[in-house]
Amino acid sequence: DEPGKHRLDLFLHHLSETCLTLVGIPFSVLDKKTERKVLAARREGILNRLEKSQDKEEILMCAIILIMHQVKNMPIAGTDTANLVMNRLFEHDKKIPYGATEALRSLKSTDFDESSSLHLIARVKKFGAAKNSKALAAVVDEK
């Protein structure tokens, strides 16, 4: 029995007990009913965070995650993933209105004044709160 193998086994045990749940990897596959409940609770948590936030980076992140979840039914997490989704998928997806993508990009840029930023933040928050792609399109058309 090698000492290195024992340390590796301890490390893998530590990962399975501690770290995997921290990054959202469940130990077993959820049934559909439980999965819907978990995703609904996650959406409500992110929506609550979006509504309370005043930080443009957090608002941007929450809106991208919520839009992706509602339009594609695909939960995503992390800054890098959200930025990749916005830059690559949003502009090519017909279900995500161009106006929403442009507003998210504008919010990401730092080239706007304080008064216009409050209006933009309010619009992006509405985009994130949209229930589905039709509701998102309606919010974008409101201007």
Side-chain angles (χ1 to χ4, degrees):
D1 204 31
E2 299 175 33
K5 170 109 172 86
H6 179 68
R7 286 195 307 253
L8 178 60
D9 289 341
L10 286 174
F11 177 68
L12 290 174
H13 177 72
H14 170 73
L15 283 178
S16 68
E17 291 295 318
T18 310
C19 301
L20 294 179
T21 56
L22 293 175
V23 295
I25 300 173
F27 291 113
S28 63
V29 177
L30 300 173
D31 60 81
K32 288 293 181 187
K33 187 176 180 181
T34 304
E35 181 182 1
R36 278 193 295 272
K37 286 180 182 178
V38 168
L39 289 176
R42 178 179 188 262
R43 182 184 185 283
E44 286 304 313
I46 295 170
L47 189 56
N48 187 30
R49 191 170 158 188
L50 173 71
E51 290 169 354
K52 291 180 180 178
S53 181
Q54 297 301 315
D55 177 61
K56 77 172 195 164
E57 290 297 321
E58 184 175 31
I59 291 167
L60 182 68
M61 181 69 52
C62 290
I64 292 169
I65 290 169
L66 288 166
I67 291 169
M68 196 65 182
H69 179 82
Q70 291 303 351
V71 172
K72 291 299 208 178
N73 199 24
M74 183 184 302
I76 61 169
T79 306
D80 292 339
T81 304
N83 285 329
L84 181 67
V85 163
M86 186 180 79
N87 292 331
R88 301 259 170 97
L89 298 179
F90 276 25
E91 63 188 40
H92 300 294
D93 195 306
K94 293 177 183 175
K95 288 185 177 180
I96 301 171
Y98 179 76
T101 303
E102 284 304 302
L104 292 166
R105 284 192 178 139
S106 294
L107 185 60
K108 187 174 179 153
S109 77
T110 55
D111 303 337
F112 56 86
D113 60 49
E114 191 65 31
S115 64
S116 67
S117 71
L118 294 175
H119 175 69
L120 187 58
I121 285 172
R123 280 191 79 209
V124 169
K125 283 185 174 187
K126 284 184 178 181
F127 298 158
K131 295 274 186 196
N132 53 42
S133 56
K134 286 183 181 180
L136 178 60
V139 171
V140 169
D141 291 340
E142 282 178 9
K143 296 193 180 191

